[in-house]
Amino acid sequence: MIKDFSVVIAGGGSTFTPGIVMMMLENSDRFPMRELKLYDNDGDRQAVLGEALEILLKEQAPDLKFSYTTDPEEAFTDVDFVMAHIRVGKYEMREQDEKIPLKYGVVGQETCGPGGIAYGMRSITGMLEIIDHMETYSPDAWMLNYSNPAAIVAEACRVMRPDSKVLNICDMPVGTLRRMSQIIDKKPDELEVSYFGLNHFGWWTSVKDKESGHEYLDEIKEYVAENGYLTQVEVDTQHMDESWQATHKKAKDLLAIEPRFLPNTYLKYYFYPDYEVGTSNAAFTRANEVMAGREKDVFTAARNIIEKGTAVDGGFHIDSHASFIVDLARAIALNAKERMLLIVENNGAIANFDDDAMVEVPCIVGSGGPEPLAQGKIPEFERALMLQQVTVEKLVVQAYIEGSYQKLWQALSLSKIVPSAGVAKELLDDLIEVNKGYWPELK
């Protein structure tokens, strides 16, 4: 008999929170909850979503105990899982992460290059705080982290909290697998993939039918070579922003560089930075798009629910694709031996890559955590790219720990996205200025 779980969502004021709460209700037969809590350090922001969700849950799950708080003890006591989607500095700082690099003709993106480094330096403190709260008040709990930038956060956890029960997972491969399944008219759970890389920096080497073992890689590549990963189903049903449509289309150019494997779409920032900068609007970046779109929509819906006193026809949308979070929690709780892509310490999973690198590979997940599956040796081209990028991530974490200006300058200079050490230094000085109060002091 499956137990009823107690869950806290860290980052309760996130625009993703309502969709994830509704997804968990949809999966209550697979993952029953006795208590759900929201935790955020911005009480006013969280209260809007908390009050609306309280109304929704009274209507849809009256037996579920629900609360929202800014008090760590209240939030983290007696929980089985911490689901973390935090954004330190919120969208206002994301806007800086995107616009400052563009000023120098460099890609401005929340997880790649200078923007990702700046966001990573802010996120480490917040992530460590949440891990420490969990270990203080619920030492047996697991944290399921899907906060960006996952690569830097995962490296910081490896170095600074090596024994903590933290699983780092990303939704990007989940979304791409969904699009692959549409291309071949299958369901995602009918497919089994092999993949190697770093977070937002990898390649699929196999997409097989779970039942028959049939390999679909060539069939999918044929479609991607013409259309990228963009499918009409997604355009029609997901209300996809134009910037995301362009991202999925660009996969065809990534496949052209390396035709053996299917690429992660984020590789476009590393291979085509000139194209990305050329098509960016420095006055209205992705952060502005989100603030004018999803953020406005979610908080407007929440205020409407509060005003009406009912969530019927309330405007919150279920985030069904986030069900991977429930899959991961179930795998841990039930020792389900589920196969999932996670960000883990390599330790030989990629035979010719550093053991201490945080890589993204298929793992078998049970009650003891993830067991990475061997992906063999990888080609020289991918190995060299990954070594450059993972070294950037390691230098960022070292810079954070040591308060080292030098190491952060080196990280920016090594990034494939940044054209020179001179530009890296100017960028760094600008980023230090806007991140005062978020970053440790650098000397």
Side-chain angles (χ1 to χ4, degrees), residues 372-391:
L373 295 172
Q375 300 301 298
K377 289 185 176 178
I378 60 174
E380 201 169 19
F381 178 64
E382 284 80 4
R383 183 175 170 272
L385 287 162
M386 284 168 56
L387 189 58
Q388 179 181 18
Q389 180 58 23
V390 84
T391 307

Side-chain angles (χ1 to χ4, degrees), residues 18 22 56 297-302 304-305 308 310-318:
M22 290 173 73
L56 181 142
D297 294 346
V298 168
F299 278 88
T300 300
N304 287 343
I305 289 169
K308 290 191 304 182
T310 176
V312 176
D313 304 322
F316 280 160
H317 298 292
I318 186 163

Side-chain angles (χ1 to χ4, degrees), residues 159-192:
V159 176
M160 300 169 79
R161 297 294 184 274
D163 300 319
S164 296
K165 290 158 82 171
V166 179
L167 296 179
N168 292 290
I169 190 166
C170 177
D171 69 343
M172 192 66 205
V174 177
T176 304
L177 181 62
R178 186 178 69 242
R179 282 176 277 281
M180 288 179 188
S181 71
Q182 290 160 3
I183 291 166
I184 52 175
D185 199 21
K186 296 297 253 182
K187 290 179 181 161
D189 60 7
E190 295 173 333
L191 301 172
E192 185 173 277

Side-chain angles (χ1 to χ4, degrees), residues 264-326:
N264 189 305
T265 53
Y266 278 87
L267 290 166
K268 72 173 188 162
Y269 299 109
Y270 301 93
F271 289 127
Y272 296 101
D274 50 349
Y275 164 84
E276 287 305 318
V277 172
T279 54
S280 293
N281 177 355
F284 194 83
T285 61
R286 176 68 186 155
N288 300 117
E289 203 175 270
V290 173
M291 285 189 275
R294 188 178 65 234
E295 184 166 45
K296 188 177 163 197
D297 294 346
V298 168
F299 278 88
T300 300
R303 290 188 178 98
N304 287 343
I305 289 169
I306 294 164
E307 197 180 317
K308 290 191 304 182
T310 176
V312 176
D313 304 322
F316 280 160
H317 298 292
I318 186 163
D319 189 356
S320 294
H321 115 127
S323 59
F324 70 89
I325 302 161
V326 164

Side-chain angles (χ1 to χ4, degrees), residues 108-257:
Q109 209 280 327
E110 68 158 337
T111 65
C112 304
I117 289 169
Y119 185 17
M121 285 287 285
R122 288 198 306 276
S123 299
I124 294 169
T125 304
M127 192 51 61
L128 296 180
E129 275 177 11
I130 291 169
I131 293 170
D132 293 347
H133 291 328
M134 175 181 84
E135 294 187 336
T136 301
Y137 300 113
S138 288
D140 295 329
W142 282 85
M143 179 187 287
L144 314 182
N145 174 52
Y146 42 100
S147 307
N148 275 327
I152 291 170
V153 166
E155 171 64 10
C157 291
R158 180 188 76 81
V159 176
M160 300 169 79
R161 297 294 184 274
D163 300 319
S164 296
K165 290 158 82 171
V166 179
L167 296 179
N168 292 290
I169 190 166
C170 177
D171 69 343
M172 192 66 205
V174 177
T176 304
L177 181 62
R178 186 178 69 242
R179 282 176 277 281
M180 288 179 188
S181 71
Q182 290 160 3
I183 291 166
I184 52 175
D185 199 21
K186 296 297 253 182
K187 290 179 181 161
D189 60 7
E190 295 173 333
L191 301 172
E192 185 173 277
V193 304
S194 293
Y195 179 98
F196 71 87
L198 314 170
N199 180 241
H200 287 184
F201 202 101
W203 294 263
W204 282 266
T205 57
S206 172
V207 184
K208 282 185 178 170
D209 190 293
K210 270 186 193 171
E211 291 280 307
S212 68
H214 177 77
E215 179 62 76
Y216 289 108
L217 194 71
D218 288 343
E219 203 177 319
I220 298 168
K221 281 197 291 188
E222 206 174 302
Y223 179 94
V224 173
E226 290 292 318
N227 311 284
Y229 290 122
L230 193 65
T231 65
Q232 201 53 49
V233 180
E234 292 276 296
V235 175
D236 293 343
T237 62
Q238 297 291 318
H239 314 294
M240 194 185 286
D241 292 334
E242 280 185 25
S243 61
W244 271 115
Q245 291 189 37
T247 291
H248 296 312
K249 278 183 195 165
K250 195 68 181 165
K252 70 177 184 180
D253 295 328
L254 299 173
L255 182 63
I257 305 161

Side-chain angles (χ1 to χ4, degrees), residues 13-28:
S14 164
T15 56
F16 293 108
T17 297
I20 285 173
V21 169
M22 290 173 73
M23 174 279 296
M24 289 165 76
L25 291 184
E26 186 181 60
N27 285 274
S28 58

